[in-house]
Amino acid sequence: MAIETADAADTAAPIQATALPRGAAYMEALQDPAAAFADPDLAQAQPVLTPLGLPRPVSGNFASVFRLDGPDGRSHAVRCFVRGFDDMARRYAAIDQHLRRLPPASTWRVGFEYQEHGVQVQGEWFPIVKMDWASGQPLLAYIEQHLWDGPALAYLATRFATLVDELRRSGVAHGDLQHGNILVAPGGDLRLIDYDGMFVPPLAGLPGNELGHRNYQHPGRSPGEFGLHLDNFASWVVYASLVGLSVDPLLWGRLDGGDECLLFRSHDFADPAHSEALAAFEATGEPVLRDLAGRLRHYLDTPFDAVPPLSPDKAPLPTLPEDRPVDNQRQRSLMAALREDGPGAGRSAAVETVRPRHTAPPSQVHFTHMGAAQAVFAAAFGGAVIAIGLAVIGLLAALAALPLIGAAAVAAGRSLWQRSPEVAEYRSKQASHHRAERKRDEAQGTVERLQRDRAAVDRVEQDALARAGRAQEDQQTGRDAAIREIDDGLRARLTELAAQEQELYRDEHTALAAALRDRQRAVIDDDLGRKPLSMYSGLDDRLLYALALDDVRTAADFVDVAVEGDVSHLVRADGRRVRATGLPPQKAHQLLSWRRSLEARLTASLPTALSDDDAASIRARFADRRGALAGAEQAARADAARQAEAVRAMPLADTTSLTEAARQAQRDAAARRVKLDQELNRARKGLAEAVWELDEAAWALDAFSDLTFAAYAKAVFALGFKR
């Protein structure tokens, strides 16, 4: 879909409007397609951007439309709704099913898919319509490019009538036929976009959801009206406009065509008695335009649902220049001469392809006016011939007179030749040709000057826009750098907090492990405490008594042995040593082995985790630190968000004057372009007239190519012999 427009002038009556984001919110969301779209094709695509780097929307009555280009080379148009109705999903499903059943020859269709959860804006999902991006030129742009190509516009009108007839036969009414919803494909096919208000048979019985563009609609169309008749009046408006421009391209400038319309506006329909457009059609003198104006007046007096459909077999056909009588060949050449790229397109104004007025060379003019002067010259010429004859037979007097007689004859002949009516007429034609050349050159210069003026207007406008754009880009670059700095600071702070969180986790894990070990140690110590040393058979009572005096009575009261020479010591848990007098080193090690065997038998039954209460008690000791870290992270994010928002909210005071200057330049350029385009139209017409006159003068001049002095002498010689 090349461009989609649904002008603010449209009037719609949505059924129970649904709360939907504004266009600016969609622009912000589409800056990150991967996060915005659920559709994988769209998530990988990139939106077309404005000069300021934001997704470029085409705003309409129901939706903002964005173009997204995918990595595979395919492009899509995404309709993000700013106004909606509760049964959008039902309507689009019915439209999709019906259009899929149409034959492949229905080239006006653009593939689409309604997605209920299509785009995410500020954390909430909203519906979209994903459409194929159809290659084509908007109708207004096509008309401006082919404004002086009558046959092309006439052909377009015929194609449009055929399209409307195909829609009706397929049970389809578009609902909003207007310039913004019609594309002209490269091959000449017409394509329709924006199916929000489309009628198909499965939707019969439902109310309509829009009124269509006001500059194309019958005043009697009421809210909620829905059916196959929706397009009847609008199709006649489009068809009449195309036919009118094919016959008289000057209607475009006279009626300010292209200003939210083709040629007609809503006030023409509300008050047809004072309609400038209808009056202009009737004043052209063209029967087909008078017919169309009469039909539109009649249909405006007809109820909306009774307006007949447009069909190729009933519509008055445009009269192409080639079909007109021979006396209109001048207009045919003008049409050929005026084939430009549209008003102010900047192309060279040289007219190089003017179709010649005449297909055959002109009849040659010969010397026919032979009066008394020519008779005298013929006699003198005859005397010269006699003198030549006498000279041949040897008469010296005649020979001496020959040069004088011949020179006098030639001089008299040239004088008579230059004063002959035929040569005088030739000189008049030659002067006309020179005047036509000067007129052509002056007209050519005027066109080229106007084109230069128009190009200069464009340059001034573009320079102002570029300055404002650069200033805004510089401002935006500064903002982006500030926001990046804020983001970098936030990342550094979050990295620091993450390191502290990791340290906290390690401390907590260490505390839990230590508590578990203590718990296991307590179980072991409790069990070993119930194992007196007397259980070990290798100790006598005297040794047991001595150890008891040092509080070593059970297997739990020592953890190791130490031998120094022949003296053995039992090592307590606190590291203190107890001398075991009379305990040989070997016996001491055997005692330690006995203790370790008791501990080993307990290992399998030791607890592997702390109780919930014990674990919760330990974690509670770290809760405050963990809360402090979470608060610090939240504060860091909030502070970064506030700083970024402050940067984004910074006023663009330093670019306000440039922006206003750019807007003023646009307004001035628009006004200047309108005036220059009107002057260009007149200048091109004048140039075409001048080229026509030059062609006529050159053709007429060709008729005198045989009027040489030799031909004149030959004619006089023939006259002399006759006399």
Side-chain angles (χ1 to χ4, degrees):
M1 187 168 55
I3 289 181
E4 177 158 341
T5 56
D7 305 292
D10 294 1
T11 305
I15 302 175
Q16 193 173 347
T18 306
L20 291 166
R22 306 289 293 175
Y26 286 119
M27 291 174 64
E28 182 177 355
L30 264 63
Q31 293 183 65
D32 185 2
F37 293 111
D39 185 285
D41 291 338
L42 301 180
Q44 299 177 39
Q46 290 298 319
V48 174
L49 304 178
T50 67
L52 298 181
L54 298 174
R56 182 191 301 276
V58 178
S59 300
N61 186 43
F62 274 96
S64 289
V65 183
F66 298 87
R67 173 176 173 172
L68 282 95
D69 299 328
D72 57 356
R74 293 188 303 160
S75 298
H76 296 91
V78 178
R79 292 175 55 78
C80 298
F81 293 97
V82 295
R83 301 176 64 195
F85 34 90
D86 290 341
D87 58 351
M88 277 199 303
R90 173 189 175 186
R91 289 179 183 251
Y92 267 106
I95 294 169
D96 183 32
Q97 292 173 5
H98 185 75
L99 297 188
R100 287 179 184 274
R101 290 195 292 268
L102 298 183
S106 301
T107 56
W108 59 268
R109 296 173 299 173
V110 176
F112 72 90
E113 178 185 353
Y114 178 85
Q115 298 179 2
E116 185 70 31
H117 295 84
V119 64
Q120 183 175 217
V121 180
Q122 298 175 349
E124 189 175 353
W125 288 95
F126 295 96
I128 64 170
V129 173
K130 170 189 174 185
M131 305 188 76
D132 297 335
W133 187 267
S135 60
Q137 193 175 18
L139 182 60
L140 290 184
Y142 182 88
I143 289 175
E144 289 183 344
Q145 182 177 351
H146 298 83
L147 184 59
W148 300 101
D149 191 344
L153 294 182
Y155 175 71
L156 183 65
T158 304
R159 290 294 295 265
F160 177 76
T162 303
L163 166 63
V164 171
D165 189 58
E166 179 187 343
L167 288 176
R168 185 175 59 83
R169 294 177 184 275
S170 301
V172 176
H174 182 275
D176 188 18
L177 280 183
Q178 46 114 332
H179 62 268
N181 292 331
I182 303 173
L183 304 177
V184 184
D189 289 337
L190 296 178
R191 291 176 181 164
L192 301 180
I193 56 178
D194 186 357
Y195 301 162
D196 292 331
M198 180 173 284
F199 169 83
V200 292
L203 297 179
L206 293 179
N209 56 11
E210 65 173 304
L211 287 175
H213 197 297
R214 65 185 183 187
N215 289 336
Y216 294 82
Q217 294 302 319
H218 193 289
R221 180 173 178 175
S222 60
E225 189 133 19
F226 205 47
L228 196 56
H229 61 287
L230 290 180
D231 295 339
N232 290 359
F233 183 78
S235 61
W236 278 106
V237 172
V238 175
Y239 180 78
S241 300
L242 295 176
V243 172
L245 291 172
S246 74
V247 173
D248 186 358
L250 295 180
L251 289 172
W252 187 253
R254 191 179 310 149
L255 300 175
D256 291 330
D259 180 18
E260 300 299 334
C261 67
L262 290 179
L263 293 178
F264 296 92
R265 292 176 172 78
S266 58
H267 58 75
D268 292 304
F269 309 142
D271 187 10
H274 298 90
S275 167
E276 181 183 358
L278 291 172
F281 268 50
E282 292 163 341
T284 60
E286 294 288 344
V288 65
L289 299 192
R290 290 199 302 270
D291 185 349
L292 286 168
R295 287 173 184 259
L296 289 177
R297 289 188 186 277
H298 174 66
Y299 297 155
L300 288 169
D301 288 334
T302 304
F304 173 64
D305 57 359
V307 175
L310 172 68
S311 61
D313 55 339
K314 295 181 180 179
L317 297 177
T319 304
L320 302 182
E322 286 82 358
D323 299 330
R324 296 177 181 176
V326 175
D327 58 2
N328 277 335
Q329 288 181 359
R330 181 185 188 86
Q331 177 67 16
R332 290 209 301 273
S333 285
L334 290 178
M335 294 295 292
L338 292 169
R339 293 184 67 171
E340 289 286 336
D341 284 346
R347 203 177 79 178
S348 171
V351 181
E352 301 173 352
T353 57
V354 180
R355 184 165 48 202
R357 158 74 167 84
H358 306 280
T359 58
S363 299
Q364 290 295 311
V365 175
H366 300 287
F367 293 104
T368 57
H369 298 84
M370 294 294 174
Q374 282 74 23
V376 172
F377 174 63
F381 196 82
V385 172
I386 293 171
I388 292 172
L390 292 175
V392 171
I393 61 175
L395 295 178
L396 295 178
L399 182 60
L402 176 60
L404 297 175
I405 297 174
V410 170
R414 283 190 173 276
S415 176
L416 292 174
W417 169 63
Q418 292 176 354
R419 294 198 303 271
S420 66
E422 291 84 0
V423 171
E425 185 179 0
Y426 166 73
R427 287 174 177 164
S428 175
K429 296 295 184 183
Q430 195 174 42
S432 297
H433 184 268
H434 290 328
R435 287 194 297 272
E437 280 185 327
R438 287 194 298 271
K439 182 177 180 181
R440 188 273 316 273
D441 293 342
E442 291 172 359
Q444 174 78 33
T446 300
V447 170
E448 291 178 349
R449 176 182 57 79
L450 290 172
Q451 287 183 325
R452 288 193 299 271
D453 291 348
R454 197 184 191 286
V457 169
D458 292 341
R459 284 194 300 274
V460 170
E461 178 187 26
Q462 292 304 317
D463 289 346
L465 291 174
R467 284 194 297 272
R470 283 194 299 271
Q472 292 178 353
E473 287 177 2
D474 292 343
Q475 184 92 12
Q476 188 62 40
T477 300
R479 286 184 172 185
D480 292 344
I483 290 175
R484 282 196 300 272
E485 184 176 353
I486 294 170
D487 289 342
D488 292 342
L490 176 61
R491 279 193 294 271
R493 178 59 176 156
L494 293 180
T495 300
E496 177 185 347
L497 293 175
Q500 295 179 22
E501 187 177 14
Q502 289 294 325
E503 183 179 356
L504 175 63
Y505 171 78
R506 287 193 298 270
D507 291 348
E508 184 179 51
H509 183 72
T510 300
L512 289 170
L516 178 59
R517 287 194 301 271
D518 291 345
R519 175 64 183 143
Q520 292 173 338
R521 184 79 259 165
V523 171
I524 292 173
D525 290 346
D526 181 65
D527 187 88
L528 294 180
R530 292 193 295 272
K531 302 292 190 296
L533 295 180
S534 60
M535 291 179 62
Y536 182 66
S537 59
L539 303 178
D540 57 24
D541 292 339
R542 184 170 59 83
L543 179 59
L544 291 173
Y545 177 76
L547 292 174
L549 292 177
D550 288 323
D551 292 330
V552 179
R553 297 181 179 85
T554 68
D557 295 333
F558 75 100
V559 295
D560 201 358
V561 297
V563 178
E564 296 178 356
D566 293 336
V567 180
S568 299
H569 296 80
L570 298 184
V571 183
R572 296 177 63 85
D574 59 3
R576 187 167 58 87
R577 295 183 178 188
V578 177
R579 186 183 179 92
T581 305
L583 182 65
Q586 183 178 3
K587 286 283 188 179
H589 287 296
Q590 290 174 353
L591 178 62
L592 180 61
S593 296
W594 169 74
R595 183 194 182 281
R596 288 176 176 173
S597 66
L598 293 176
E599 186 175 349
R601 286 196 295 271
L602 293 172
T603 302
S605 60
L606 291 176
T608 58
L610 294 174
S611 66
D612 291 343
D613 290 341
D614 290 342
S617 176
I618 293 173
R619 290 192 174 94
R621 288 161 34 203
F622 295 89
D624 291 342
R625 288 174 60 188
R626 185 176 290 106
L629 287 175
E633 179 180 350
Q634 184 176 4
R637 292 184 183 276
D639 184 55
R642 283 193 299 271
Q643 292 182 49
E645 185 61 29
V647 171
R648 294 189 182 96
M650 288 174 59
L652 301 177
D654 56 331
T655 62
T656 301
S657 59
L658 287 174
T659 301
E660 181 55 35
R663 291 173 180 164
Q664 185 60 46
Q666 285 184 301
R667 291 190 290 267
D668 294 344
R672 181 64 176 147
R673 269 194 293 267
V674 170
K675 183 178 179 181
L676 285 173
D677 287 344
Q678 293 173 347
E679 293 180 7
L680 267 172
N681 286 339
R682 292 192 294 268
R684 286 186 177 123
K685 188 174 185 297
L687 175 59
E689 292 276 4
V691 170
W692 169 269
E693 293 177 7
L694 181 60
D695 177 69
E696 287 288 287
W699 184 85
L701 199 60
D702 287 344
F704 295 85
S705 60
D706 289 346
L707 295 185
T708 63
F709 177 69
Y712 182 77
K714 181 180 178 181
V716 172
F717 182 75
L719 178 63
F721 274 103
K722 288 180 181 179
R723 292 180 179 275

